[in-house]
Amino acid sequence: MVFYAPASHAEVRKLSLVKVDFAKRVGDIVDGPQVSRGLVVLAAFNLFAELRSYLLATNTAYGNEELAFAKTFGGALSELIAASLKLSLVLGMKNNSLAGGTRMYRIAARPLDLPPVFNPTVP
């Protein structure tokens, strides 16, 4: 069963406020240090699993060493670095009492000023 109510209805406004409040609470939990720590643990486990598959590929005659190496050090290691940077960013914002933050926080929080790859105005 579907109900329709105009946007100006009082119950619709109340429901939208509840949805916004719920979204803010979920956002605070997701952006908190607990989830970031969990992401680091999962990324470390993924690195361990990929390293194990790399070692298995090097020890077997039919293993694809290049693919296993790329997955291990290209994918899993970059995932661990990204998760640890996210954790340092969250902990740096939480413990903002340090003047300037730690070195890892400054690396994670700095803006990337990259030049544009394609600029049609430049000949």
Side-chain angles (χ1 to χ4, degrees), residues 55-118:
L55 294 175
L56 185 65
T58 58
N59 291 336
T60 60
Y62 301 107
N64 190 349
E65 285 186 49
E66 294 82 15
L67 177 63
F69 182 82
K71 284 175 61 178
T72 301
F73 296 104
L77 189 62
S78 65
E79 181 181 341
L80 181 63
I81 290 170
S84 63
L85 285 174
K86 167 74 172 156
L87 178 63
S88 67
L89 184 65
V90 168
L91 292 178
M93 288 189 307
K94 185 178 179 187
N95 302 331
N96 205 7
S97 60
L98 298 173
T102 63
R103 182 173 185 219
M104 190 72 158
Y105 172 73
R106 288 192 305 262
I107 290 171
R110 73 179 176 89
L112 293 176
D113 295 327
L114 299 175
V117 176
F118 175 73

Side-chain angles (χ1 to χ4, degrees), residues 4 20 24 32 35 37 45 57-58 92 94 96:
Y4 171 78
V20 168
K24 285 182 182 178
V35 173
R37 284 185 183 113
F45 174 75
T58 58
K94 185 178 179 187
N96 205 7

